[in-house]
Amino acid sequence: MSSLIKSKKRSDALGEVFTPQWLVDEMLDKLPQEVFTDPEKTFIDPACGDGNFLVRVLERKIQNGSTPLQALQTTYGVDIMEDNIQTCRRRLLREVTGNKKQINVEDFRPHAKALKSNIKCANTLEQNLEDIFTGQE
Ligand SMILES: C[S@@+](CC[C@H](N)C(=O)[O-])C[C@H]1O[C@@H](n2cnc3c(N)ncnc32)[C@H](O)[C@@H]1O
């Protein structure tokens, strides 16, 4: 199992403790399942870390019939730490490229665009979500 904290300094300063996968699954099981079966339902983690919830949400949406692009376009995350956001975007992209060694970048341009606009580095205590997601990077 990967570590649930990156450093004591970060966990003290930011409350950065990642949720283990078993607990993520247990929590997602408690949600109304149309979150995953209705391709138009959106999900946001306003303190997403490196994406433990978002990766599982994306997987569940795709397993329940959303296209990978629909799933990405309805999945949102914000974190104050840029390194978490970069890792989160990478993990989500890996879910949709299926871990292939070589991909045709053109095929995944819309997916990369969705990731850039929906997974954002910002302070959710100081900015409202609408500003975060309509602002330009
Ligand atoms: C308890 S961790 C949870 C991470 C992830 N949701 C998970 O369950 O694995 C809290 C996260 O909130 C982020 N964070 C702390 N203050 C924040 C703020 N003001 N705005 C956005 N993110 C913040 C931290 O960087 C950290 O990744």
Side-chain angles (χ1 to χ4, degrees):
M1 188 174 74
S2 58
S3 172
L4 300 181
I5 64 167
K6 286 186 170 174
S7 70
K8 183 170 183 319
K9 191 171 162 200
R10 284 172 65 130
S11 63
D12 287 350
L14 302 163
E16 190 188 68
V17 180
F18 300 118
T19 309
Q21 188 173 308
W22 65 267
L23 184 54
V24 169
D25 286 331
E26 210 172 290
M27 291 169 76
L28 294 181
D29 285 344
K30 293 186 193 301
L31 292 179
Q33 292 304 293
E34 65 256 30
V35 171
F36 312 112
T37 57
D38 179 346
E40 298 199 347
K41 291 280 183 215
T42 57
F43 185 96
I44 183 165
D45 184 344
C48 67
D50 62 6
N52 285 357
F53 277 90
L54 299 184
V55 166
R56 298 303 267 183
V57 166
L58 194 76
E59 280 176 8
R60 286 178 184 226
K61 279 175 164 284
I62 294 170
Q63 280 162 7
N64 281 287
S66 291
T67 65
L69 185 57
Q70 279 172 329
L72 281 177
Q73 286 172 334
T74 52
T75 301
Y76 293 82
V78 186
D79 200 274
I80 200 165
M81 297 300 284
E82 182 65 34
D83 62 336
N84 285 341
I85 288 303
Q86 293 305 329
T87 305
C88 182
R89 287 176 176 167
R90 259 198 315 277
R91 290 178 71 194
L92 293 170
L93 187 61
R94 210 181 305 136
E95 288 299 316
V96 304
T97 59
N99 265 331
K100 291 191 196 97
K101 284 232 167 64
Q102 287 206 316
I103 58 165
N104 181 350
V105 175
E106 279 310 312
D107 293 343
F108 291 99
R109 212 171 277 288
H111 306 75
K113 189 172 169 220
L115 279 172
K116 203 170 167 193
S117 52
N118 287 12
I119 309 298
K120 292 280 197 181
C121 184
N123 184 335
T124 40
L125 296 180
E126 291 187 357
Q127 284 174 271
N128 72 51
L129 292 175
E130 201 181 333
D131 288 347
I132 291 172
F133 290 108
T134 54
Q136 298 296 309
E137 197 167 293

